Amino acid sequence: GQQLNQSPQSMFIQEGEDVSMNCTSSSIFNTWLWYKQDPGEGPVLLIALYKAGELTSNGRLTAQFGITRKDSFLNISASIPSDVGIYFCAGHNAGGTSYGKLTFGQGTILTVHP
Amino acid sequence: DTEVTQTPKHLVMGMTNKKSLKCEQHMGHRAMYWYKQKAKKPPELMFVYSYEKLSINESVPSRFSPECPNSSLLNLHLHALQPEDSALYLCASSQAGTAGATQYFGPGTRLLVL
């Protein structure tokens, strides 16, 4: 089945630093999604990418859909303490029996030191 | 409005109890999902409803019984659960069809089975 490799698994950074995380897949996706999850809460959608090569920003967040359709990255600029949480990438392939199923990365745990 | 609501927020139940989790969305989405999530792991898909019909069951044990009374509501009926079923249960919704990749999650129900 499809697998997503998300890296790094965890990051410890100082407030104000930039952050970069990425996901790579063994197969192509039609959609890439990035979520952030705070402890005890549900994942919140940060950015959705629908087209190969697409670069999208949401405030201090920027994400790109890789040209090969097998990877995506998320950058956070000028990190602040409330950026702490677990970030998940997710891919979707609309074809065949996989419709409606998201394939998730294992998550990147972000810690920001004030 | 991208809100999915879930009740209750927390639930403690014994292995002989019967309880239900509820989910509601008013985004006009026609696809709804149940996920199970263990701590610091990505969500695992359990069920998908599309146009109020069950379209995906990821080989979930019969002690979990989903129900979709209408296009806005999704229930998960629980009976004779095991301690290993303790987890965060997440509901999500999306448009049906090819836009169904972009899923919006609720805050989750934290379930503890004693």
Side-chain angles (χ1 to χ4, degrees), chain A residues 31 33 35 37 40-43 45 50 86 88 92 99-102 104-106, chain B residues 9 33 37 41-43 45 56 58 90 96-97 100-107:
Chain A
T31 300
L33 306 170
Y35 291 92
Q37 187 170 23
E41 298 294 329
L45 182 66
Y50 302 107
I86 303 179
F88 290 103
H92 181 263
Y99 172 74
K101 295 186 181 182
L102 295 180
F104 284 89
Q106 290 303 303
Chain B
K9 181 75 172 172
Y33 311 77
Q37 187 181 29
K41 296 293 186 182
L45 183 65
I56 296 177
E58 291 288 89
L90 296 163
T102 309
Q103 297 179 20
Y104 297 88
F105 285 85

PDB file of all heavy atoms in Angstrom, chain A residues 31 33 35 37 40-43 45 50 86 88 92 99-102 104-106, chain B residues 9 33 37 41-43 45 56 58 90 96-97 100-107:
ATOM      1  N   THR A  31      -3.693  15.103  -4.302  1.00  0.00           N
ATOM      2  CA  THR A  31      -3.884  16.168  -3.323  1.00  0.00           C
ATOM      3  C   THR A  31      -2.922  15.949  -2.175  1.00  0.00           C
ATOM      4  O   THR A  31      -2.721  14.810  -1.742  1.00  0.00           O
ATOM      5  CB  THR A  31      -5.332  16.158  -2.770  1.00  0.00           C
ATOM      6  OG1 THR A  31      -6.257  16.343  -3.841  1.00  0.00           O
ATOM      7  CG2 THR A  31      -5.537  17.257  -1.739  1.00  0.00           C
ATOM      8  N   LEU A  33      -2.230  17.516   1.761  1.00  0.00           N
ATOM      9  CA  LEU A  33      -2.802  18.321   2.836  1.00  0.00           C
ATOM     10  C   LEU A  33      -1.807  18.400   3.979  1.00  0.00           C
ATOM     11  O   LEU A  33      -1.076  17.441   4.251  1.00  0.00           O
ATOM     12  CB  LEU A  33      -4.107  17.696   3.350  1.00  0.00           C
ATOM     13  CG  LEU A  33      -5.184  17.397   2.309  1.00  0.00           C
ATOM     14  CD1 LEU A  33      -6.295  16.559   2.928  1.00  0.00           C
ATOM     15  CD2 LEU A  33      -5.756  18.685   1.741  1.00  0.00           C
ATOM     16  N   TYR A  35      -1.797  19.320   8.130  1.00  0.00           N
ATOM     17  CA  TYR A  35      -2.611  19.553   9.320  1.00  0.00           C
ATOM     18  C   TYR A  35      -1.706  19.840  10.503  1.00  0.00           C
ATOM     19  O   TYR A  35      -0.586  19.341  10.579  1.00  0.00           O
ATOM     20  CB  TYR A  35      -3.446  18.315   9.663  1.00  0.00           C
ATOM     21  CG  TYR A  35      -4.552  17.978   8.702  1.00  0.00           C
ATOM     22  CD1 TYR A  35      -4.334  17.107   7.638  1.00  0.00           C
ATOM     23  CD2 TYR A  35      -5.829  18.500   8.872  1.00  0.00           C
ATOM     24  CE1 TYR A  35      -5.354  16.773   6.768  1.00  0.00           C
ATOM     25  CE2 TYR A  35      -6.866  18.167   8.000  1.00  0.00           C
ATOM     26  CZ  TYR A  35      -6.618  17.303   6.958  1.00  0.00           C
ATOM     27  OH  TYR A  35      -7.641  16.970   6.098  1.00  0.00           O
ATOM     28  N   GLN A  37      -1.974  19.558  14.813  1.00  0.00           N
ATOM     29  CA  GLN A  37      -2.788  19.028  15.893  1.00  0.00           C
ATOM     30  C   GLN A  37      -2.199  19.423  17.239  1.00  0.00           C
ATOM     31  O   GLN A  37      -1.037  19.148  17.521  1.00  0.00           O
ATOM     32  CB  GLN A  37      -2.902  17.506  15.799  1.00  0.00           C
ATOM     33  CG  GLN A  37      -3.876  16.907  16.791  1.00  0.00           C
ATOM     34  CD  GLN A  37      -4.149  15.443  16.520  1.00  0.00           C
ATOM     35  OE1 GLN A  37      -3.344  14.744  15.897  1.00  0.00           O
ATOM     36  NE2 GLN A  37      -5.287  14.955  16.986  1.00  0.00           N
ATOM     37  N   GLY A  40      -4.851  16.772  22.588  1.00  0.00           N
ATOM     38  CA  GLY A  40      -6.248  16.596  22.960  1.00  0.00           C
ATOM     39  C   GLY A  40      -7.255  17.204  22.013  1.00  0.00           C
ATOM     40  O   GLY A  40      -8.462  17.201  22.298  1.00  0.00           O
ATOM     41  N   GLU A  41      -6.783  17.716  20.880  1.00  0.00           N
ATOM     42  CA  GLU A  41      -7.674  18.338  19.904  1.00  0.00           C
ATOM     43  C   GLU A  41      -7.594  17.586  18.573  1.00  0.00           C
ATOM     44  O   GLU A  41      -6.726  16.750  18.369  1.00  0.00           O
ATOM     45  CB  GLU A  41      -7.292  19.804  19.682  1.00  0.00           C
ATOM     46  CG  GLU A  41      -7.403  20.674  20.913  1.00  0.00           C
ATOM     47  CD  GLU A  41      -8.836  20.846  21.392  1.00  0.00           C
ATOM     48  OE1 GLU A  41      -9.754  20.818  20.544  1.00  0.00           O
ATOM     49  OE2 GLU A  41      -9.036  20.980  22.623  1.00  0.00           O
ATOM     50  N   GLY A  42      -8.521  17.921  17.673  1.00  0.00           N
ATOM     51  CA  GLY A  42      -8.474  17.310  16.358  1.00  0.00           C
ATOM     52  C   GLY A  42      -7.521  18.051  15.443  1.00  0.00           C
ATOM     53  O   GLY A  42      -7.164  19.208  15.689  1.00  0.00           O
ATOM     54  N   PRO A  43      -7.081  17.402  14.367  1.00  0.00           N
ATOM     55  CA  PRO A  43      -6.194  18.061  13.405  1.00  0.00           C
ATOM     56  C   PRO A  43      -6.906  19.242  12.744  1.00  0.00           C
ATOM     57  O   PRO A  43      -8.082  19.148  12.386  1.00  0.00           O
ATOM     58  CB  PRO A  43      -5.899  16.964  12.375  1.00  0.00           C
ATOM     59  CG  PRO A  43      -6.197  15.685  13.083  1.00  0.00           C
ATOM     60  CD  PRO A  43      -7.310  15.990  14.014  1.00  0.00           C
ATOM     61  N   LEU A  45      -6.802  21.813   9.513  1.00  0.00           N
ATOM     62  CA  LEU A  45      -6.238  21.952   8.171  1.00  0.00           C
ATOM     63  C   LEU A  45      -5.515  23.283   8.035  1.00  0.00           C
ATOM     64  O   LEU A  45      -6.072  24.341   8.294  1.00  0.00           O
ATOM     65  CB  LEU A  45      -7.357  21.858   7.131  1.00  0.00           C
ATOM     66  CG  LEU A  45      -6.916  21.946   5.677  1.00  0.00           C
ATOM     67  CD1 LEU A  45      -6.060  20.742   5.296  1.00  0.00           C
ATOM     68  CD2 LEU A  45      -8.129  22.048   4.751  1.00  0.00           C
ATOM     69  N   TYR A  50      -3.468  21.141  -4.621  1.00  0.00           N
ATOM     70  CA  TYR A  50      -4.222  20.328  -5.568  1.00  0.00           C
ATOM     71  C   TYR A  50      -3.535  20.129  -6.910  1.00  0.00           C
ATOM     72  O   TYR A  50      -4.059  19.395  -7.760  1.00  0.00           O
ATOM     73  CB  TYR A  50      -5.591  20.967  -5.819  1.00  0.00           C
ATOM     74  CG  TYR A  50      -6.418  21.141  -4.567  1.00  0.00           C
ATOM     75  CD1 TYR A  50      -6.618  22.392  -4.002  1.00  0.00           C
ATOM     76  CD2 TYR A  50      -6.999  20.042  -3.933  1.00  0.00           C
ATOM     77  CE1 TYR A  50      -7.367  22.555  -2.855  1.00  0.00           C
ATOM     78  CE2 TYR A  50      -7.754  20.197  -2.781  1.00  0.00           C
ATOM     79  CZ  TYR A  50      -7.937  21.457  -2.256  1.00  0.00           C
ATOM     80  OH  TYR A  50      -8.686  21.615  -1.121  1.00  0.00           O
ATOM     81  N   ILE A  86       1.851  18.866  16.746  1.00  0.00           N
ATOM     82  CA  ILE A  86       2.241  17.812  15.805  1.00  0.00           C
ATOM     83  C   ILE A  86       1.701  18.187  14.427  1.00  0.00           C
ATOM     84  O   ILE A  86       0.513  18.493  14.283  1.00  0.00           O
ATOM     85  CB  ILE A  86       1.703  16.438  16.227  1.00  0.00           C
ATOM     86  CG1 ILE A  86       2.176  16.071  17.625  1.00  0.00           C
ATOM     87  CG2 ILE A  86       2.164  15.369  15.226  1.00  0.00           C
ATOM     88  CD1 ILE A  86       1.666  14.724  18.118  1.00  0.00           C
ATOM     89  N   PHE A  88       1.016  16.980  10.595  1.00  0.00           N
ATOM     90  CA  PHE A  88       0.835  15.795   9.759  1.00  0.00           C
ATOM     91  C   PHE A  88       0.666  16.209   8.300  1.00  0.00           C
ATOM     92  O   PHE A  88      -0.091  17.138   7.998  1.00  0.00           O
ATOM     93  CB  PHE A  88      -0.421  15.011  10.161  1.00  0.00           C
ATOM     94  CG  PHE A  88      -0.343  14.311  11.484  1.00  0.00           C
ATOM     95  CD1 PHE A  88      -0.979  14.832  12.599  1.00  0.00           C
ATOM     96  CD2 PHE A  88       0.352  13.113  11.609  1.00  0.00           C
ATOM     97  CE1 PHE A  88      -0.925  14.186  13.819  1.00  0.00           C
ATOM     98  CE2 PHE A  88       0.409  12.457  12.833  1.00  0.00           C
ATOM     99  CZ  PHE A  88      -0.222  12.997  13.941  1.00  0.00           C
ATOM    100  N   HIS A  92      -3.780  12.217  -0.919  1.00  0.00           N
ATOM    101  CA  HIS A  92      -5.011  11.582  -1.389  1.00  0.00           C
ATOM    102  C   HIS A  92      -4.882  11.265  -2.862  1.00  0.00           C
ATOM    103  O   HIS A  92      -4.424  12.096  -3.646  1.00  0.00           O
ATOM    104  CB  HIS A  92      -6.207  12.503  -1.166  1.00  0.00           C
ATOM    105  CG  HIS A  92      -7.514  11.927  -1.598  1.00  0.00           C
ATOM    106  ND1 HIS A  92      -8.083  12.194  -2.819  1.00  0.00           N
ATOM    107  CD2 HIS A  92      -8.354  11.052  -0.983  1.00  0.00           C
ATOM    108  CE1 HIS A  92      -9.232  11.543  -2.923  1.00  0.00           C
ATOM    109  NE2 HIS A  92      -9.418  10.846  -1.825  1.00  0.00           N
ATOM    110  N   TYR A  99     -10.498   6.104  -3.051  1.00  0.00           N
ATOM    111  CA  TYR A  99     -11.231   7.356  -2.921  1.00  0.00           C
ATOM    112  C   TYR A  99     -11.698   7.559  -1.484  1.00  0.00           C
ATOM    113  O   TYR A  99     -12.265   6.661  -0.880  1.00  0.00           O
ATOM    114  CB  TYR A  99     -12.446   7.384  -3.856  1.00  0.00           C
ATOM    115  CG  TYR A  99     -13.294   8.578  -3.582  1.00  0.00           C
ATOM    116  CD1 TYR A  99     -12.862   9.830  -3.987  1.00  0.00           C
ATOM    117  CD2 TYR A  99     -14.467   8.485  -2.856  1.00  0.00           C
ATOM    118  CE1 TYR A  99     -13.597  10.952  -3.689  1.00  0.00           C
ATOM    119  CE2 TYR A  99     -15.206   9.607  -2.561  1.00  0.00           C
ATOM    120  CZ  TYR A  99     -14.770  10.834  -2.983  1.00  0.00           C
ATOM    121  OH  TYR A  99     -15.494  11.956  -2.680  1.00  0.00           O
ATOM    122  N   GLY A 100     -11.499   8.779  -0.973  1.00  0.00           N
ATOM    123  CA  GLY A 100     -11.914   9.112   0.384  1.00  0.00           C
ATOM    124  C   GLY A 100     -10.882   8.757   1.419  1.00  0.00           C
ATOM    125  O   GLY A 100     -11.001   9.171   2.568  1.00  0.00           O
ATOM    126  N   LYS A 101      -9.868   7.993   1.064  1.00  0.00           N
ATOM    127  CA  LYS A 101      -8.865   7.595   2.041  1.00  0.00           C
ATOM    128  C   LYS A 101      -7.668   8.528   1.970  1.00  0.00           C
ATOM    129  O   LYS A 101      -7.078   8.713   0.906  1.00  0.00           O
ATOM    130  CB  LYS A 101      -8.375   6.178   1.761  1.00  0.00           C
ATOM    131  CG  LYS A 101      -9.406   5.094   1.925  1.00  0.00           C
ATOM    132  CD  LYS A 101      -8.746   3.727   1.751  1.00  0.00           C
ATOM    133  CE  LYS A 101      -9.748   2.609   1.871  1.00  0.00           C
ATOM    134  NZ  LYS A 101      -9.100   1.285   1.746  1.00  0.00           N
ATOM    135  N   LEU A 102      -7.317   9.097   3.111  1.00  0.00           N
ATOM    136  CA  LEU A 102      -6.092   9.869   3.218  1.00  0.00           C
ATOM    137  C   LEU A 102      -4.984   8.958   3.717  1.00  0.00           C
ATOM    138  O   LEU A 102      -5.208   8.146   4.610  1.00  0.00           O
ATOM    139  CB  LEU A 102      -6.260  11.034   4.197  1.00  0.00           C
ATOM    140  CG  LEU A 102      -7.257  12.127   3.823  1.00  0.00           C
ATOM    141  CD1 LEU A 102      -7.286  13.207   4.903  1.00  0.00           C
ATOM    142  CD2 LEU A 102      -6.918  12.730   2.479  1.00  0.00           C
ATOM    143  N   PHE A 104      -1.623   9.213   5.744  1.00  0.00           N
ATOM    144  CA  PHE A 104      -0.968  10.181   6.623  1.00  0.00           C
ATOM    145  C   PHE A 104       0.506   9.869   6.801  1.00  0.00           C
ATOM    146  O   PHE A 104       0.912   8.698   6.837  1.00  0.00           O
ATOM    147  CB  PHE A 104      -1.625  10.164   8.009  1.00  0.00           C
ATOM    148  CG  PHE A 104      -2.944  10.864   8.080  1.00  0.00           C
ATOM    149  CD1 PHE A 104      -4.119  10.183   7.813  1.00  0.00           C
ATOM    150  CD2 PHE A 104      -3.018  12.206   8.421  1.00  0.00           C
ATOM    151  CE1 PHE A 104      -5.348  10.813   7.872  1.00  0.00           C
ATOM    152  CE2 PHE A 104      -4.240  12.855   8.482  1.00  0.00           C
ATOM    153  CZ  PHE A 104      -5.407  12.157   8.215  1.00  0.00           C
ATOM    154  N   GLY A 105       1.306  10.921   6.958  1.00  0.00           N
ATOM    155  CA  GLY A 105       2.667  10.752   7.445  1.00  0.00           C
ATOM    156  C   GLY A 105       2.622  10.486   8.939  1.00  0.00           C
ATOM    157  O   GLY A 105       1.572  10.592   9.579  1.00  0.00           O
ATOM    158  N   GLN A 106       3.759  10.124   9.508  1.00  0.00           N
ATOM    159  CA  GLN A 106       3.824   9.768  10.928  1.00  0.00           C
ATOM    160  C   GLN A 106       3.852  10.988  11.844  1.00  0.00           C
ATOM    161  O   GLN A 106       3.767  10.853  13.057  1.00  0.00           O
ATOM    162  CB  GLN A 106       5.041   8.895  11.197  1.00  0.00           C
ATOM    163  CG  GLN A 106       4.913   7.500  10.603  1.00  0.00           C
ATOM    164  CD  GLN A 106       3.682   6.768  11.110  1.00  0.00           C
ATOM    165  OE1 GLN A 106       3.490   6.573  12.298  1.00  0.00           O
ATOM    166  NE2 GLN A 106       2.801   6.369  10.185  1.00  0.00           N
TER     167      GLN A 106
ATOM    168  N   LYS B   9     -17.069  15.374  24.732  1.00  0.00           N
ATOM    169  CA  LYS B   9     -15.637  15.661  24.626  1.00  0.00           C
ATOM    170  C   LYS B   9     -14.818  14.522  25.235  1.00  0.00           C
ATOM    171  O   LYS B   9     -13.762  14.156  24.731  1.00  0.00           O
ATOM    172  CB  LYS B   9     -15.336  16.969  25.368  1.00  0.00           C
ATOM    173  CG  LYS B   9     -13.867  17.402  25.330  1.00  0.00           C
ATOM    174  CD  LYS B   9     -13.482  17.949  23.996  1.00  0.00           C
ATOM    175  CE  LYS B   9     -12.089  18.558  24.046  1.00  0.00           C
ATOM    176  NZ  LYS B   9     -11.594  18.935  22.701  1.00  0.00           N
ATOM    177  N   TYR B  33     -16.648  10.913   7.967  1.00  0.00           N
ATOM    178  CA  TYR B  33     -15.662   9.889   8.291  1.00  0.00           C
ATOM    179  C   TYR B  33     -15.554   9.713   9.802  1.00  0.00           C
ATOM    180  O   TYR B  33     -15.681  10.679  10.560  1.00  0.00           O
ATOM    181  CB  TYR B  33     -14.280  10.325   7.775  1.00  0.00           C
ATOM    182  CG  TYR B  33     -14.228  10.795   6.338  1.00  0.00           C
ATOM    183  CD1 TYR B  33     -14.675  12.058   5.983  1.00  0.00           C
ATOM    184  CD2 TYR B  33     -13.727   9.962   5.341  1.00  0.00           C
ATOM    185  CE1 TYR B  33     -14.633  12.486   4.661  1.00  0.00           C
ATOM    186  CE2 TYR B  33     -13.666  10.390   4.027  1.00  0.00           C
ATOM    187  CZ  TYR B  33     -14.125  11.654   3.697  1.00  0.00           C
ATOM    188  OH  TYR B  33     -14.071  12.076   2.394  1.00  0.00           O
ATOM    189  N   GLN B  37      -7.562   7.502  16.752  1.00  0.00           N
ATOM    190  CA  GLN B  37      -6.186   7.987  16.850  1.00  0.00           C
ATOM    191  C   GLN B  37      -5.596   7.679  18.218  1.00  0.00           C
ATOM    192  O   GLN B  37      -6.172   8.029  19.252  1.00  0.00           O
ATOM    193  CB  GLN B  37      -6.122   9.500  16.596  1.00  0.00           C
ATOM    194  CG  GLN B  37      -4.694  10.029  16.523  1.00  0.00           C
ATOM    195  CD  GLN B  37      -4.616  11.533  16.288  1.00  0.00           C
ATOM    196  OE1 GLN B  37      -5.514  12.272  16.695  1.00  0.00           O
ATOM    197  NE2 GLN B  37      -3.556  11.979  15.630  1.00  0.00           N
ATOM    198  N   LYS B  41       0.243   9.368  17.166  1.00  0.00           N
ATOM    199  CA  LYS B  41       0.186   8.613  15.919  1.00  0.00           C
ATOM    200  C   LYS B  41      -0.784   9.299  14.973  1.00  0.00           C
ATOM    201  O   LYS B  41      -1.640  10.058  15.406  1.00  0.00           O
ATOM    202  CB  LYS B  41      -0.293   7.176  16.185  1.00  0.00           C
ATOM    203  CG  LYS B  41       0.643   6.357  17.057  1.00  0.00           C
ATOM    204  CD  LYS B  41       1.951   6.099  16.353  1.00  0.00           C
ATOM    205  CE  LYS B  41       2.823   5.168  17.171  1.00  0.00           C
ATOM    206  NZ  LYS B  41       4.135   4.940  16.515  1.00  0.00           N
ATOM    207  N   PRO B  42      -0.679   9.042  13.686  1.00  0.00           N
ATOM    208  CA  PRO B  42      -1.659   9.640  12.761  1.00  0.00           C
ATOM    209  C   PRO B  42      -3.027   8.992  12.913  1.00  0.00           C
ATOM    210  O   PRO B  42      -3.138   7.875  13.423  1.00  0.00           O
ATOM    211  CB  PRO B  42      -1.054   9.343  11.381  1.00  0.00           C
ATOM    212  CG  PRO B  42      -0.164   8.185  11.587  1.00  0.00           C
ATOM    213  CD  PRO B  42       0.359   8.277  12.991  1.00  0.00           C
ATOM    214  N   PRO B  43      -4.075   9.677  12.497  1.00  0.00           N
ATOM    215  CA  PRO B  43      -5.419   9.091  12.545  1.00  0.00           C
ATOM    216  C   PRO B  43      -5.508   7.859  11.642  1.00  0.00           C
ATOM    217  O   PRO B  43      -4.892   7.805  10.580  1.00  0.00           O
ATOM    218  CB  PRO B  43      -6.320  10.207  12.012  1.00  0.00           C
ATOM    219  CG  PRO B  43      -5.537  11.462  12.179  1.00  0.00           C
ATOM    220  CD  PRO B  43      -4.107  11.077  12.014  1.00  0.00           C
ATOM    221  N   LEU B  45      -8.245   5.526   9.594  1.00  0.00           N
ATOM    222  CA  LEU B  45      -9.602   5.537   9.079  1.00  0.00           C
ATOM    223  C   LEU B  45     -10.369   4.308   9.549  1.00  0.00           C
ATOM    224  O   LEU B  45      -9.845   3.187   9.535  1.00  0.00           O
ATOM    225  CB  LEU B  45      -9.570   5.571   7.547  1.00  0.00           C
ATOM    226  CG  LEU B  45     -10.915   5.669   6.844  1.00  0.00           C
ATOM    227  CD1 LEU B  45     -11.614   6.993   7.157  1.00  0.00           C
ATOM    228  CD2 LEU B  45     -10.738   5.491   5.343  1.00  0.00           C
ATOM    229  N   ILE B  56     -17.052   2.828   2.914  1.00  0.00           N
ATOM    230  CA  ILE B  56     -15.811   2.167   3.316  1.00  0.00           C
ATOM    231  C   ILE B  56     -15.927   1.733   4.774  1.00  0.00           C
ATOM    232  O   ILE B  56     -16.329   2.519   5.633  1.00  0.00           O
ATOM    233  CB  ILE B  56     -14.577   3.084   3.152  1.00  0.00           C
ATOM    234  CG1 ILE B  56     -14.350   3.428   1.679  1.00  0.00           C
ATOM    235  CG2 ILE B  56     -13.328   2.427   3.739  1.00  0.00           C
ATOM    236  CD1 ILE B  56     -13.201   4.394   1.449  1.00  0.00           C
ATOM    237  N   GLU B  58     -13.165  -0.136   7.160  1.00  0.00           N
ATOM    238  CA  GLU B  58     -11.788  -0.620   7.162  1.00  0.00           C
ATOM    239  C   GLU B  58     -11.625  -1.813   8.099  1.00  0.00           C
ATOM    240  O   GLU B  58     -10.781  -1.817   9.002  1.00  0.00           O
ATOM    241  CB  GLU B  58     -10.836   0.509   7.562  1.00  0.00           C
ATOM    242  CG  GLU B  58     -10.711   1.605   6.524  1.00  0.00           C
ATOM    243  CD  GLU B  58      -9.922   1.144   5.317  1.00  0.00           C
ATOM    244  OE1 GLU B  58     -10.543   0.609   4.381  1.00  0.00           O
ATOM    245  OE2 GLU B  58      -8.691   1.333   5.283  1.00  0.00           O
ATOM    246  N   LEU B  90     -12.095  10.638  16.139  1.00  0.00           N
ATOM    247  CA  LEU B  90     -12.255  11.850  15.349  1.00  0.00           C
ATOM    248  C   LEU B  90     -13.294  11.660  14.264  1.00  0.00           C
ATOM    249  O   LEU B  90     -13.332  10.618  13.599  1.00  0.00           O
ATOM    250  CB  LEU B  90     -10.923  12.223  14.683  1.00  0.00           C
ATOM    251  CG  LEU B  90      -9.773  12.591  15.612  1.00  0.00           C
ATOM    252  CD1 LEU B  90      -8.444  12.534  14.863  1.00  0.00           C
ATOM    253  CD2 LEU B  90      -9.986  13.964  16.213  1.00  0.00           C
ATOM    254  N   ALA B  96     -18.264  15.440  -1.290  1.00  0.00           N
ATOM    255  CA  ALA B  96     -18.186  14.141  -1.948  1.00  0.00           C
ATOM    256  C   ALA B  96     -17.613  14.351  -3.341  1.00  0.00           C
ATOM    257  O   ALA B  96     -17.361  15.470  -3.760  1.00  0.00           O
ATOM    258  CB  ALA B  96     -19.569  13.507  -2.007  1.00  0.00           C
ATOM    259  N   GLY B  97     -17.373  13.287  -4.048  1.00  0.00           N
ATOM    260  CA  GLY B  97     -16.818  13.406  -5.391  1.00  0.00           C
ATOM    261  C   GLY B  97     -15.334  13.684  -5.350  1.00  0.00           C
ATOM    262  O   GLY B  97     -14.654  13.452  -4.359  1.00  0.00           O
ATOM    263  N   GLY B 100     -13.326  15.299  -2.512  1.00  0.00           N
ATOM    264  CA  GLY B 100     -13.448  14.663  -1.208  1.00  0.00           C
ATOM    265  C   GLY B 100     -12.158  14.516  -0.444  1.00  0.00           C
ATOM    266  O   GLY B 100     -12.166  14.031   0.669  1.00  0.00           O
ATOM    267  N   ALA B 101     -11.030  14.937  -1.021  1.00  0.00           N
ATOM    268  CA  ALA B 101      -9.777  14.782  -0.303  1.00  0.00           C
ATOM    269  C   ALA B 101      -9.683  15.751   0.862  1.00  0.00           C
ATOM    270  O   ALA B 101      -9.089  15.425   1.877  1.00  0.00           O
ATOM    271  CB  ALA B 101      -8.609  15.021  -1.249  1.00  0.00           C
ATOM    272  N   THR B 102     -10.240  16.938   0.742  1.00  0.00           N
ATOM    273  CA  THR B 102     -10.013  17.977   1.732  1.00  0.00           C
ATOM    274  C   THR B 102     -10.960  17.758   2.895  1.00  0.00           C
ATOM    275  O   THR B 102     -12.112  18.176   2.855  1.00  0.00           O
ATOM    276  CB  THR B 102     -10.200  19.368   1.117  1.00  0.00           C
ATOM    277  OG1 THR B 102      -9.423  19.452  -0.064  1.00  0.00           O
ATOM    278  CG2 THR B 102      -9.745  20.442   2.089  1.00  0.00           C
ATOM    279  N   GLN B 103     -10.453  17.108   3.919  1.00  0.00           N
ATOM    280  CA  GLN B 103     -11.273  16.717   5.055  1.00  0.00           C
ATOM    281  C   GLN B 103     -11.056  17.672   6.223  1.00  0.00           C
ATOM    282  O   GLN B 103      -9.919  18.054   6.526  1.00  0.00           O
ATOM    283  CB  GLN B 103     -10.934  15.282   5.479  1.00  0.00           C
ATOM    284  CG  GLN B 103     -11.260  14.279   4.383  1.00  0.00           C
ATOM    285  CD  GLN B 103     -10.924  12.851   4.761  1.00  0.00           C
ATOM    286  OE1 GLN B 103     -10.788  12.526   5.940  1.00  0.00           O
ATOM    287  NE2 GLN B 103     -10.805  11.991   3.762  1.00  0.00           N
ATOM    288  N   TYR B 104     -12.152  18.020   6.875  1.00  0.00           N
ATOM    289  CA  TYR B 104     -12.126  18.891   8.045  1.00  0.00           C
ATOM    290  C   TYR B 104     -12.502  18.061   9.263  1.00  0.00           C
ATOM    291  O   TYR B 104     -13.529  17.380   9.256  1.00  0.00           O
ATOM    292  CB  TYR B 104     -13.110  20.047   7.871  1.00  0.00           C
ATOM    293  CG  TYR B 104     -12.750  20.942   6.707  1.00  0.00           C
ATOM    294  CD1 TYR B 104     -13.210  20.672   5.431  1.00  0.00           C
ATOM    295  CD2 TYR B 104     -11.919  22.049   6.894  1.00  0.00           C
ATOM    296  CE1 TYR B 104     -12.861  21.471   4.352  1.00  0.00           C
ATOM    297  CE2 TYR B 104     -11.567  22.866   5.827  1.00  0.00           C
ATOM    298  CZ  TYR B 104     -12.042  22.565   4.561  1.00  0.00           C
ATOM    299  OH  TYR B 104     -11.682  23.353   3.501  1.00  0.00           O
ATOM    300  N   PHE B 105     -11.657  18.139  10.285  1.00  0.00           N
ATOM    301  CA  PHE B 105     -11.829  17.297  11.461  1.00  0.00           C
ATOM    302  C   PHE B 105     -12.531  18.045  12.583  1.00  0.00           C
ATOM    303  O   PHE B 105     -12.391  19.261  12.745  1.00  0.00           O
ATOM    304  CB  PHE B 105     -10.457  16.837  11.980  1.00  0.00           C
ATOM    305  CG  PHE B 105      -9.826  15.762  11.135  1.00  0.00           C
ATOM    306  CD1 PHE B 105      -9.076  16.081  10.016  1.00  0.00           C
ATOM    307  CD2 PHE B 105      -9.987  14.417  11.471  1.00  0.00           C
ATOM    308  CE1 PHE B 105      -8.497  15.093   9.233  1.00  0.00           C
ATOM    309  CE2 PHE B 105      -9.402  13.421  10.699  1.00  0.00           C
ATOM    310  CZ  PHE B 105      -8.660  13.751   9.582  1.00  0.00           C
ATOM    311  N   GLY B 106     -13.257  17.276  13.386  1.00  0.00           N
ATOM    312  CA  GLY B 106     -13.800  17.788  14.625  1.00  0.00           C
ATOM    313  C   GLY B 106     -12.761  17.714  15.739  1.00  0.00           C
ATOM    314  O   GLY B 106     -11.654  17.226  15.524  1.00  0.00           O
ATOM    315  N   PRO B 107     -13.129  18.178  16.939  1.00  0.00           N
ATOM    316  CA  PRO B 107     -12.171  18.196  18.051  1.00  0.00           C
ATOM    317  C   PRO B 107     -11.926  16.834  18.684  1.00  0.00           C
ATOM    318  O   PRO B 107     -10.975  16.675  19.458  1.00  0.00           O
ATOM    319  CB  PRO B 107     -12.839  19.143  19.055  1.00  0.00           C
ATOM    320  CG  PRO B 107     -14.287  19.037  18.760  1.00  0.00           C
ATOM    321  CD  PRO B 107     -14.394  18.821  17.284  1.00  0.00           C
TER     322      PRO B 107
END
